[in-house]
Amino acid sequence: MNILELSEQEIVRRNNLQQLRDLGIDPYPAAAYPTNAFSTDIRDGFKDEDEPREVCIAGRIMSKRIMGKASFAELLDSKGRIQVYITRDDICPNQEDTTMYNTVWKKCLDLGDFIGVKGFVFRTQTGEISVHVKELTVLAKSLKPLPIVKEKDGQVYDSFDDPELRYRQRYVDLIVNPGVKDTFLKRATILRTLRSILDEAGYTEVETPTLQSIAGGASARPFITHFNALNIDMYMRIATELYLKRLIVGGFEGVYEIGKNFRNEGMDRTHNPEFTCIELYVQYKDYNWMMSFTEQMLEKICIAVNGSTESVVNGQTISFKAPYRRLPILDAIKEKTGYDLNGKEENEIRDIAQKLGIEVDETMGKGKLIDEIFGETCEGTFIQPTFITDYPVEMSPLTKMHRSKPGLTERFELMVNGKELANAYSELNDPIDQEERFVEQMKLADKGDDEAMIIDQDFLRALQYGMPPTSGIGIGIDRLTMLMTGQTAIGEVMFFPQMKPEVKAPRDKDEAFLALGIPTDIIPILRKAGYNIVSTLQGVNPAKLQQQIIEIIKKYKLEVEKPGQDVISRWTSQE
């Protein structure tokens, strides 16, 4: 990398790196470092009356206060922060050689570097539990400076809080914003608890294909890729449903999969094209059983994460204590809009949607219209967990017909904080009925609905071998984590959410500068001075530009011949 592409701090750190090497110290040693304690363990286990505890810890330097022959520093390990006390006499037992303290510690080690220390635990005069260092080891040199977050009188300054930067550089976000790590530890607790509940119930965790020849199991636009070995187009899965049902056909009592789904749709605060979902299918159950199982499961998860059945999201307290309200979707629409859609035909529903100010078009079938009306007028109003049940058959191509309500299906969606959290059915296991539903979906596709399902002939074949009565559910893990941790943006609960490409300043290639007769070794200097596009050179005062070039050459001690004003004038006068 050209030195002119580095900031001043980065240059200092690389010089410190080289100085460590010149001293015979490997800044990136290969040997394991024998840690035996963490910051939290040390603080929690400390007692003034005990004998001093010998510890070996490692972490990232987050602060340094050098006071002559003694220093205080703060180390960040995987559990938290702890203060360390370092003196010249302790880490330089040979008083004739003070290199480790005076050069390595004071000059070569920067904030963000990793060190290991051995010593004993004590309490300082100000009452802070600390580690008195007897031995120091360099473990990894940091070449980029961390953002410095300052705090005074409870106010935070220079905080690293721009979501664009935080999501793109999550590694920095995790270092300087401790609450971020807590969110992801809670996410891990959610997954761990979820697995424990399902495993204890006797259900089997499985894995199914991510690349599929048919994008089935949901109504969504897929990502398409090409499988070179078979010379066919494949789809990133939009759901795991149809493969998991094949396993129920094959004789499993209950199966579940926690994995990534991919939907080639929009991004916003609650949607990411790549998301994590759990789907569960259990034989001999129906959607009523699944509602009871779901509310009990979510109650246990909330207790595991938050210590109670409540979570606070954006100032709103949400109770996950079972049972939850159960409300048929058409009743919900009538309750919120005054319109009763029971028995209405497609054109009548389209007219009602238009009266409600909802944008609709001719490609929308009856199910899509009802979905739009519910989404626009009802969905956002359900803050506390509510099961919306009994969807029209047109909205539910994989769902069993309702046992007592003609035209409806045994399906529910769980709404929490105004968004769908779960979707579940009494699964359709009549292969003839299923094929007819698929055909209806294909008619919608012919009308222009690019989210309509494609007929999966192998799944139909599996159903023809017989699938027992089954209930299934899908729960969005990212949204569940948002609810349990109080986050309002999906990017806060995904380590690396999808981002637009990073915007970089426009910059001409070297060839454009060379065409003006500018030497190769001058091009980086011009860029450092801010001339990234050759057109910006036109009309610049040659004397001013010469001065800028000379200043950069001197500052960075470059062995480059200084161009004369007559030469520079030729660069700045060309059109």
Side-chain angles (χ1 to χ4, degrees), residues 266-272 419 478-479 482 488-491:
M267 296 189 297
D268 58 31
R269 290 179 64 82
T270 58
H271 293 86
N272 195 71
K419 291 290 181 181
D478 308 302
R479 285 196 185 169
M482 290 170 65
T488 57
I490 197 168

Side-chain angles (χ1 to χ4, degrees), residues 51 85 160 217 272 302 312 361 375 380 434 447 465 527 559 572:
E51 287 292 318
Y85 174 64
F160 187 70
N272 195 71
C302 192
V312 178
D361 57 54
Q434 180 64 85
K447 288 175 65 175
Y465 282 97
R527 287 184 174 137
E559 295 182 1
T572 60

Side-chain angles (χ1 to χ4, degrees), residues 298-309:
L298 293 178
E299 181 179 322
K300 291 176 183 175
I301 289 172
C302 192
I303 292 170
V305 173
N306 296 314
S308 74
T309 58

